[in-house]
Amino acid sequence: MTATPAWPAPVPPTYPAMDVVGRAARLREGLEEVGCEALLVNRLVNTRYLTGFTGSAGILVVTRDELVLVTDGRYRDQAEEQLAAAGVEAAKVEIGQTAAEQQELLTTATAGIGRLGLEAAHVSWSAQRRYAEDWFPDAELVATEGLVERLRQHKDTGELARLAAAAALADSALATVRPRLGEGPTEAEIALELDSEVRRLGADGASFETIVASGPNAAKPHARPGGRRIEEGDLVVIDFGALVEGYHSDMTRTTIIGSPSPTQQRMLDVVAASQAAGVAAVVAGTGCVDVDHACRGVIDDAGWEAAFLHGTGHGVGLDIHEDPRVGRSSTANLEVGHVVTVEPGVYLPEHGGVRIEDTVVVTATGSRLLTHAPKEPNLP
Ligand code: ZN
Ligand code: ZN
């Protein structure tokens, strides 16, 4: 007898194209504003955004009229293929087998550049000294902040499709695995099942280390899943996501095993109301701080201001946590095309924890949820 294959036939889904080419043009506008003729992109996820290249090493130079990606021999073919697939035709791939060769290629690519922007948040002190002394001695190095990250906040149709697909995979995985919570599994077993299920459904992997936190562990917002068995009376916080073509999903649901205590019931009700208030506040033009305020107000009114231990949310995209941040000290306003999470929580060591998180797209008419798993805390 042959076993039925557990894996579906690999039919890779196709998503709407992303406007990768247009990104460098928008970046050049930002470079103009800070008076730089070129940007040295050290952060790989930003290089991916600008070129489609997914390798683990490489430095990109964006000048006024070209893109030069300097990487090593491992990525000779992959880099050419990925840039072509992304439609980035005005880009050159240069292969340096040694650090010295790569340095020479970068020095050549920036020849004649007066003001060269560096991604200040992503260049180490030693790299900065090397760049100033040896690599680019003729250029004035300029510390820039978030030039690419700012562009990445606005998701295009292709990016939204990938984020929606990742969120849908996580919804399906949770629907499959959640009923098992009542069978006394360990946290680690549930985490493993979720991770396997998102991959089986076609995700490239989990979008971050899956959180399954039960009982007293649920009172720690970022507990790691361990050997604790989930039992009657536990609140179980599950926070996880799927990864699709580099795009992350992020969702939290809380389940009560059996009947909640009166305090647990109140925690569930307060967090649900807080989260709904936060999602309702997600509208273009609103300050991220106001979304935070909407969530926090409900929790404060319940007397649990000290039990909400983290920010309200964050942008999601090629990074699991990216701009705009949604918190008490946020200064950004929401704009159409932003994708943010809304994830208030209440954590009480004696009772456990409750967090509910959705990922929300800001649209021209309001907002749209990407995460659709039911929020009902009781197992059927
Ligand atoms: Zn999360
Ligand atoms: Zn999150």
Side-chain angles (χ1 to χ4, degrees):
M1 189 181 133
T2 50
T4 313
W7 290 69
V11 182
T14 51
Y15 303 106
M18 297 185 287
D19 175 26
V20 180
V21 179
R23 295 168 181 171
R26 288 196 294 283
L27 174 61
R28 288 183 180 113
E29 290 170 20
L31 275 173
E32 197 83 22
E33 281 168 31
V34 295
C36 290
E37 291 141 65
L39 181 70
L40 193 75
V41 181
N42 280 73
R43 192 154 188 240
L44 281 165
V45 68
N46 288 343
T47 292
R48 176 177 192 158
Y49 180 74
L50 294 165
T51 66
F53 175 64
T54 65
S56 66
I59 295 180
L60 178 71
V61 180
V62 182
T63 67
R64 286 204 173 112
D65 42 32
E66 64 176 359
L67 296 171
V68 180
L69 173 62
V70 175
T71 182
D72 62 71
R74 292 173 297 169
Y75 296 116
R76 186 195 59 195
D77 298 346
Q78 178 185 326
E80 295 279 5
E81 286 164 13
Q82 290 184 319
L83 269 55
V88 187
E89 279 139 14
K92 267 199 304 214
V93 174
E94 302 273 21
I95 304 298
Q97 296 290 16
T98 62
E101 275 180 36
Q102 290 169 18
Q103 170 188 343
E104 204 178 304
L105 290 165
L106 287 163
T107 304
T108 305
T110 54
I113 298 291
R115 282 170 58 88
L116 173 62
L118 299 185
E119 296 184 295
H122 310 298
V123 176
S124 67
W125 189 8
S126 63
Q128 192 276 334
R129 290 169 64 119
R130 206 162 56 235
Y131 292 166
E133 285 161 23
D134 304 329
W135 291 38
F136 314 112
D138 301 329
E140 180 189 348
L141 300 182
V142 179
T144 69
E145 291 281 353
L147 288 176
V148 183
E149 284 83 351
R150 201 194 311 165
L151 304 177
R152 285 173 42 199
Q153 293 185 43
H154 294 95
K155 273 70 179 180
D156 68 27
T157 314
E159 294 181 286
L160 290 174
R162 287 159 177 82
L163 287 165
L169 290 179
D171 285 343
S172 302
L174 188 62
T176 302
V177 175
R178 190 169 172 260
R180 285 256 297 118
L181 289 174
E183 298 168 10
T186 66
E187 296 169 346
E189 284 165 2
I190 293 295
L192 177 62
E193 286 179 25
L194 285 167
D195 293 352
S196 310
E197 188 61 13
V198 292
R199 293 200 75 155
R200 198 184 65 75
L201 292 167
D204 300 322
S207 68
F208 55 93
E209 191 180 357
T210 296
I211 294 170
V212 178
S214 65
N217 296 338
K220 301 166 198 150
H222 269 202
R224 297 186 78 174
R228 185 182 183 280
R229 275 198 191 281
I230 293 166
E231 56 186 43
E232 194 78 5
D234 280 355
L235 287 163
V236 185
V237 175
I238 295 182
D239 187 350
F240 79 114
L243 190 61
V244 169
E245 296 193 1
Y247 286 85
H248 298 72
S249 79
D250 193 6
M251 172 172 73
T252 308
R253 293 293 184 260
T254 300
T255 303
I256 177 75
I257 311 300
S259 303
S261 69
T263 302
Q264 287 174 329
Q265 184 62 59
R266 190 158 168 264
M267 292 164 77
L268 289 162
D269 293 343
V270 167
V271 173
S274 164
Q275 205 264 345
V279 170
V282 174
V283 180
T286 304
C288 289
V289 71
D290 298 316
V291 177
D292 179 81
H293 193 248
C295 284
R296 216 166 281 281
V298 174
I299 292 174
D300 289 359
D301 288 348
W304 280 330
E305 60 270 28
F308 181 7
L309 299 173
H310 48 77
T312 285
H314 52 86
V316 195
L318 286 173
D319 280 313
I320 180 63
H321 296 133
E322 57 182 49
D323 292 337
R325 310 285 162 159
V326 182
R328 270 189 277 218
S329 53
S330 298
T331 52
N333 285 339
L334 292 172
E335 294 172 20
V336 173
H338 282 183
V339 177
V340 292
T341 68
V342 178
E343 50 179 304
V346 166
Y347 308 91
L348 302 171
E350 304 286 299
H351 305 277
V354 175
R355 180 165 69 255
I356 300 172
E357 174 180 29
D358 282 315
T359 300
V360 188
V361 183
V362 183
T363 67
T365 53
S367 72
R368 175 164 65 89
L369 291 182
L370 294 182
T371 40
H372 298 291
K375 294 180 180 125
E376 165 61 42
N378 298 292
L379 289 173

